[in-house]
Amino acid sequence: MDARFTAEQEEIRRTLRELLLKRCGPEDLRAAVLTPAGYDPALWEALARQLGLPGLALPEVYGGVGCSVTELALACEESGRALAPSPLLATAVLGAPLVLALGAEAQRAELLPRLASGELTAALAVPGAVLATALGLVGDNGGDWAGGGRAGGVQARQVDGVWRLYGQAAQVLDGHSAGLLVVAAHTGGFARSRTLLYLVRDGGGDGSAGLVRVRQTSLDETRPQARIELRDVEAELLGDEDADVDGALAGVGDMAAAVLAAEAVGAADRALERTVEYVRQREQFGRAIGSFQAVKHRLADVYVEVQAARSAAYYAAWAAGTDAATGTGGERVGGLALAQALEALRRAAAEGIQLHGGIGFTWEHDAHLYFKRAAGDESLFGPVHRLRGYAAEVVRLFDGDRGRDGDGSRAEVTV
C-alpha cells in the first residue's frame, strides 16, 4: 500500500478547498441551511458540474469520473472542514452506489448519468431509526428491520403487476428535496418475508401521488432530514426480487462509513485549527492562553487523536476501494474508522467550546456547529460503542476459540 497521495488526489483536495473557502464561509453556511432545500443550489451546481463530485466514484460508462472511494473520501474530508451542507452524502455515498450495485442495466443507464451530473439527487429511506443497522454497521442487517405487517415500517405489495408502498420513514437525509427516493420495504408476508429496495421517482415534484414529505428539525442543521410518508405510492423495484439486498447494503455501508470517517476528520481538523488560532490571540494575565502548559497538553491530545483518526479513515477508504475494484468481500473496517473519527470530532469540538470560553457555546459562534455534527452523525450512524461492539463481534474478538487452529494452537489473526 502506497500511502502517498497522487497528483490527481492533491488537486482534488486543493481545488475543493479553494472553492469552499470562497463559497461556503460561515455566513454562507448559515444562509444555506435556512433555504427550503437546506443547501445552496448554486454551490451544489458548482460541486457537481465544475468538479464532478457526485460522479467521482462512479464508472465512466455511466457518466462518472471513474475514481475510487479514496478520492470520494478526500473530497468529503474537505466538505467536512467547511461543514458544507449539500446532498453529496445522500446522493453519491448512499443512493447512487445502491443503484449501481442492484439496479438492472436499464435502470443504471437511465439514472446513474443524471446522478453523476448532479441533475438528479437521491435519498435512502429506511424505516424507523435503524439506518446504521440497515447498513450493517452496528448489527447484522439480515433481520426484519424494514418492518411489515403490524410491525409498521414500510410495506410493499404488488397489485396488477405494479408495486405499491405504504408506510413511513422518519429520518431520511435530504429526503425532502431528493428527486429520487430509494426506499427499503418489507414484502412477501409470512411465506417469503424479505426486504427489497424500491425507486420512487420524481420525489421532488408532484408526480408521486400519495407521497408526503416533511422536513424535520434536526440537531445538526447542516444535515437536513425529512419524514417520508408513503400512502399507497407507486414504485419500481430496484433490480430483481432475488437481489442480495442485505449484502449490497452492507457493502455500501462500509464504504459510507469510510467516507463519513474522512468527513468527520476534516471537521475535527478544522475545529482544532480554529481553537489553536484563538488561544494564540486570547490573552489572560498578560499572556496568550495558548502559552499555558495545561492548554498545550489538551490541544496536543486532540491533535494526536485527530491524526490517528485520519490514518484510520484513509486506510478504511483504501480498503473499501480495493474491495469494490476486485469485487471481493475483503476487509471491512469502515465502522471502526468511523467510531474513531466521531470520537475525535466530539473531542475536538468539545475542547474548542471549552477553550473559547464564554463565546464557545453561543449561537453566533461556529464552535457549536462542529459539536452538533459529531452528535448528529453518531445518532444516525452509531453510537460509537455499538460500532466498535459489532466490529468486535464480527471478528469474534471475545470468543474463547477465536484465533485457534483446529489442533488448538494459536493462529495468526489480523484485526
Side-chain angles (χ1 to χ4, degrees), residues 95-181:
L98 286 171
V99 175
L100 178 64
L102 297 175
E105 183 56 37
Q107 292 173 326
R108 295 178 184 177
E110 178 192 356
L111 297 173
L112 290 178
R114 297 177 63 199
L115 291 170
S117 69
E119 171 196 347
L120 179 67
T121 59
L124 174 61
V126 173
V130 293
L131 179 59
T133 299
L135 295 174
L137 296 177
V138 296
D140 183 8
N141 68 348
D144 192 17
W145 48 265
R150 294 183 179 179
V154 178
Q155 305 163 54
R157 61 191 180 96
Q158 209 167 15
V159 180
D160 298 328
V162 178
W163 286 100
R164 315 291 300 188
L165 302 182
Y166 189 91
Q168 176 176 296
Q171 294 178 316
V172 182
L173 286 174
D174 293 298
H176 60 294
S177 61
L180 176 71
L181 298 178

Side-chain angles (χ1 to χ4, degrees), residues 82-96:
L83 298 180
S86 80
L88 182 63
L89 173 63
T91 299
V93 182
L94 297 176

Side-chain angles (χ1 to χ4, degrees), residues 120-262:
L120 179 67
T121 59
L124 174 61
V126 173
V130 293
L131 179 59
T133 299
L135 295 174
L137 296 177
V138 296
D140 183 8
N141 68 348
D144 192 17
W145 48 265
R150 294 183 179 179
V154 178
Q155 305 163 54
R157 61 191 180 96
Q158 209 167 15
V159 180
D160 298 328
V162 178
W163 286 100
R164 315 291 300 188
L165 302 182
Y166 189 91
Q168 176 176 296
Q171 294 178 316
V172 182
L173 286 174
D174 293 298
H176 60 294
S177 61
L180 176 71
L181 298 178
V182 182
V183 183
H186 176 271
T187 189
F190 293 102
R192 199 183 173 197
S193 175
R194 63 202 186 283
T195 297
L196 297 174
L197 295 182
Y198 297 86
L199 302 176
V200 177
R201 298 168 183 265
D202 193 23
D206 299 325
S208 298
L211 176 64
V212 178
R213 308 191 299 172
V214 181
R215 183 176 175 181
Q216 303 284 79
T217 300
S218 57
L219 174 64
D220 179 11
E221 287 186 309
T222 66
R223 288 255 201 259
Q225 301 176 32
R227 184 180 76 251
I228 305 297
E229 296 179 8
L230 302 142
R231 302 171 180 175
D232 201 31
V233 173
E234 181 177 335
E236 176 185 344
L237 179 65
L238 179 61
D240 57 60
E241 295 189 44
D242 296 322
D244 182 12
V245 172
D246 297 338
L249 282 168
V252 169
D254 184 69
M255 181 271 286
V259 173
L260 280 163

Side-chain angles (χ1 to χ4, degrees), residues 282-289 291-292:
R282 177 74 167 93
E283 291 188 357
Q284 193 173 39
F285 307 116
R287 293 172 54 188
I289 62 174
S291 66
F292 298 136

